[in-house]
Amino acid sequence: MKHELKKNGKFSYLDLGEGTPIVILHGLMGGLSNFDGVSTYFPENGYKVLIPELPLYTMPLVKTSVGTFAKYLKSFIDKLGHKEVILLGNSLGGHIGLLCTKMFPEKVKALVITGSSGLYESAMGESYPKRGDYEYIKSKAENVFYDPAIATKEIVDEVYATVNDRNKLIRTLAIAKSAIRHNMAKDLPNMKNPTCIIWGKNDTVTPPEVADDFNRLLPDSDLYWIDKCGHAAMMEHPDEFNKLLHSWLQERNF
């Protein structure tokens, strides 16, 4: 992603387009570039796309939790002066979006989740991580996608660098434990915000039954499947992802 990050107080973020704001939340091993397809398409179709850099590795360790990131997200929305926004999150980003919606429902016009943690305890990886083993990290990165070629050397190198950085590793494990503690199963039936669930049929990180459970537990949700697709639908099938999401937003008059 070639765009320049904006700075506003403690926040660094991408700000693209004009219109209804969509705030995008990347995952634990993800980055802003995971949403290149979304950030190209939606500003051209009447939406403002905002992608904050989440302080996953800079928050004090005792505050490194899904709850703290949900509050950080709320303060980001407030800082930019938005009354309410659409939240879109993948993996851990979906979980942060869910918890922010539970805590501050008045700020969330709609929620979009894809491959989200929050229900499935193994979502952060059962044997992750093994430091120093590049081939193991490469295989884990490839397993995130239906098509392993999506896991480019650049992506693998970034994950490898993260798990071999002691500071990042400690925080990664703290976040993973926090995600397991913040299981949302009992909260979802009380969350009435409109929710769009877009899921890869071949997701092995958060399997299809997780999407079914989200759809069953949330009072106002719609579930859409993408075939031959793993854990990061917006990366693997960006055109189909954008088409599904845009249609849903239009149906709901967002």
Side-chain angles (χ1 to χ4, degrees):
M1 191 173 288
K2 305 290 192 292
H3 306 289
E4 197 169 321
L5 289 174
K6 282 192 174 183
K7 297 274 189 183
N8 190 338
K10 65 180 178 180
F11 303 105
S12 297
Y13 59 99
L14 283 177
D15 183 343
L16 306 167
E18 292 299 330
T20 302
I22 301 176
V23 177
I24 292 176
L25 306 162
H26 60 79
L28 182 55
M29 287 294 169
L32 279 61
S33 63
N34 294 173
F35 292 89
D36 278 353
V38 173
S39 63
T40 300
Y41 179 88
F42 282 93
E44 294 175 354
N45 286 277
Y47 294 88
K48 175 186 276 292
V49 169
L50 298 162
I51 315 182
E53 281 192 321
L54 298 172
L56 302 183
Y57 306 122
T58 55
M59 192 69 72
L61 190 57
V62 291
K63 293 184 176 179
T64 299
S65 71
V66 181
T68 301
F69 299 136
K71 291 172 186 170
Y72 181 92
L73 173 58
K74 160 70 160 52
S75 62
F76 172 72
I77 295 166
D78 288 344
K79 181 74 172 177
L80 269 58
H82 294 297
K83 186 181 175 188
E84 57 179 3
V85 302
I86 297 164
L87 295 180
L88 162 56
N90 170 240
S91 199
L92 175 71
H95 199 164
I96 294 168
L98 282 158
L99 194 55
C100 185
T101 302
K102 177 204 165 186
M103 295 165 72
F104 312 105
E106 72 285 353
K107 302 301 293 186
V108 182
K109 185 190 289 278
L111 175 65
V112 185
I113 55 172
T114 180
S116 179
S117 59
L119 283 180
Y120 185 58
E121 291 199 353
S122 297
M124 293 296 167
E126 68 295 336
S127 56
Y128 169 86
K130 286 185 185 175
R131 296 176 72 190
D133 188 339
Y134 187 87
E135 286 306 310
Y136 175 81
I137 296 298
K138 182 171 182 281
S139 71
K140 292 294 278 186
E142 289 175 344
N143 287 343
V144 168
F145 305 101
Y146 177 80
D147 177 4
I150 303 289
T152 61
K153 185 176 186 300
E154 184 181 8
I155 288 172
V156 177
D157 287 351
E158 200 169 309
V159 175
Y160 181 75
T162 295
V163 301
N164 282 282
D165 179 315
R166 188 170 179 275
N167 169 57
K168 290 183 177 179
L169 177 64
I170 290 168
R171 281 167 172 76
T172 296
L173 295 172
I175 293 165
K177 287 176 184 174
S178 170
I180 292 168
R181 284 197 307 272
H182 282 88
N183 187 287
M184 304 286 295
K186 291 180 181 175
D187 302 314
L188 298 179
N190 299 315
M191 292 168 54
K192 297 179 171 57
N193 303 61
T195 304
C196 178
I197 305 166
I198 303 177
W199 223 264
K201 273 192 179 178
N202 311 92
D203 188 341
T204 58
V205 181
T206 45
E209 57 265 28
V210 180
D212 286 326
D213 285 344
F214 272 121
N215 193 40
R216 176 175 55 82
L217 291 167
L218 284 161
D220 185 12
S221 62
D222 296 294
L223 172 57
Y224 302 94
W225 297 102
I226 297 181
D227 200 13
K228 296 183 179 177
C229 181
H231 186 56
M234 72 289 168
M235 290 177 71
E236 199 156 8
H237 294 280
D239 292 342
E240 192 170 352
F241 184 91
N242 291 339
K243 184 180 175 184
L244 286 169
L245 177 52
H246 196 193
S247 294
W248 185 81
L249 292 171
Q250 288 179 315
E251 282 172 20
R252 295 293 192 121
N253 295 314
F254 294 139

